[in-house]
């Protein structure tokens, strides 16, 4: 009986190793990695991955000075701090047609808009922080995986007019957005520009991910 249990355990361990070895590891900073320290006003400051990104005003300088530096016996800093050093892949949302709300910026100022978040690893570093108008960058910005996608993809009304047609004139959603239904949708349901479409976290968003 003990022999069977041992064999079962070994098979389970082998399966786990196979899964781990064939899966791409997540792009995450090492929370235990440190690369030196310094003192400010008598307080010791440890350099960690979090230290690189904790201050937006100093982020560019810190990453430029440290991410590609090797401090023996440590590896190059960006190997241990890929998120903070901008080495991870952007989480952009496929088929996203517009940021929502249009003109969104985070609560710290107008300069921190979706265009700013498109730079470096800003979505990963601060995309869940500084909400404004009820949304963070990861909810509002296409480049951060938020924003709005027309749904169903490629929808046209019963006259063959698509969401781009409705967006070409400010009056079209109002005048025609509840008419010319096709496949169960009118423009006010399907088109982001008519305040429809799929937004992150919605039922339509889940359907988009399954397509």
């Amino acid at each position: 009986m003990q022999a069977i249990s041992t064999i079962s355990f070994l098979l389970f361990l082998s399966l786990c190793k196979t899964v781990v070895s064939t899966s791409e590891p997540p792009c995450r900073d090492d929370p235990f990695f440190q690369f030196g320290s310094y003192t400010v006003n008598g307080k010791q400051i440890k350099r960690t991955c979090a230290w690189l990104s904790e201050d937006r005003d100093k982020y560019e300088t810190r990453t430029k000075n440290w991410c590609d530096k090797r401090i023996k016996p440590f590896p190059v800093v960006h190997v241990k701090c890929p998120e903070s050093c901008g080495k991870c892949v952007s989480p952009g949302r496929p088929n996203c047609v517009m940021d929502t709300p249009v003109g969104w910026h985070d609560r710290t100022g107008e300069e921190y808009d979706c265009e700013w978040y498109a730079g470096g690893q800003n979505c990963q570093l601060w995309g869940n922080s500084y909400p404004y108008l009820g949304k963070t960058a990861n909810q509002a910005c296409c480049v951060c995986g938020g924003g709005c996608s027309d749904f169903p993809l490629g929808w046209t009304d019963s006259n063959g007019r698509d969401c781009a047609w409705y967006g070409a004139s400010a009056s079209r959603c109002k005048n025609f957005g509840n008419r010319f239904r096709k496949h169960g949708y009118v423009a006010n349901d399907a088109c982001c520009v008519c305040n429809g479409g799929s937004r992150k976290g919605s039922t339509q968003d889940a359907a988009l991910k399954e397509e």
Side-chain angles (χ1 to χ4, degrees):
M1 186 71 177
Q2 185 176 0
I4 294 175
S5 297
T6 301
I7 292 172
S8 298
F9 174 76
L10 290 174
L11 287 172
F12 174 77
L13 185 61
S14 176
L15 178 61
C16 289
K17 287 182 177 179
T18 300
V19 171
V20 171
S21 63
T22 56
S23 300
E24 185 178 349
C27 189
R28 296 286 185 271
D29 288 346
D30 182 345
F32 304 106
F33 177 62
Q34 295 182 14
F35 49 102
S37 62
Y38 60 99
T39 302
V40 176
N41 297 327
K43 181 180 178 180
Q44 186 183 43
I45 308 295
K46 295 180 180 179
R47 294 190 188 96
T48 63
C49 298
W51 171 84
L52 288 168
S53 60
E54 67 185 5
D55 187 330
R56 289 204 296 198
D57 293 334
K58 298 178 181 178
Y59 173 70
E60 184 175 353
T61 299
R62 288 181 177 179
T63 54
K64 181 179 179 180
N65 290 343
W66 291 99
C67 283
D68 293 324
K69 184 169 288 189
R70 182 187 299 276
I71 306 174
K72 294 182 179 181
F74 306 119
V76 176
V77 171
H78 70 69
V79 173
K80 288 289 190 177
C81 306
E83 285 183 290
S84 294
C85 288
K87 300 298 181 181
C88 299
V89 178
S90 171
R93 176 188 176 106
N95 306 305
C96 188
V97 297
M98 61 184 287
D99 301 323
T100 180
V102 175
W104 179 91
H105 57 79
D106 73 24
R107 72 170 183 237
T108 60
E110 293 183 2
E111 66 269 34
Y112 297 112
D113 56 9
C114 291
E115 184 176 355
W116 181 86
Y117 275 91
Q121 294 296 106
N122 294 339
C123 293
Q124 288 90 338
L125 294 173
W126 299 293
N128 286 318
S129 304
Y130 314 113
Y132 183 64
L133 299 178
K135 292 191 176 184
T136 62
N138 285 352
Q139 297 169 316
C141 303
C142 290
V143 71
C144 294
C148 182
S149 300
D150 295 331
F151 181 87
L153 296 177
W155 177 86
T156 59
D157 68 17
S158 59
N159 286 335
R161 298 174 298 203
D162 60 11
C163 292
W165 181 86
Y166 279 90
S169 172
S171 64
R172 288 179 178 177
C173 292
K174 180 179 179 180
N175 293 337
F176 308 111
N178 284 315
R179 303 169 61 188
F180 311 113
R181 186 176 299 274
K182 184 177 179 182
H183 300 314
Y185 294 88
V186 292
N188 287 353
D189 300 322
C191 303
C192 294
V193 71
C194 295
N195 204 32
S198 164
R199 286 161 174 78
K200 187 172 183 178
S202 66
T203 302
Q204 294 93 333
D205 184 42
L208 276 176
K209 292 177 181 178
E210 293 174 0
E211 290 187 352

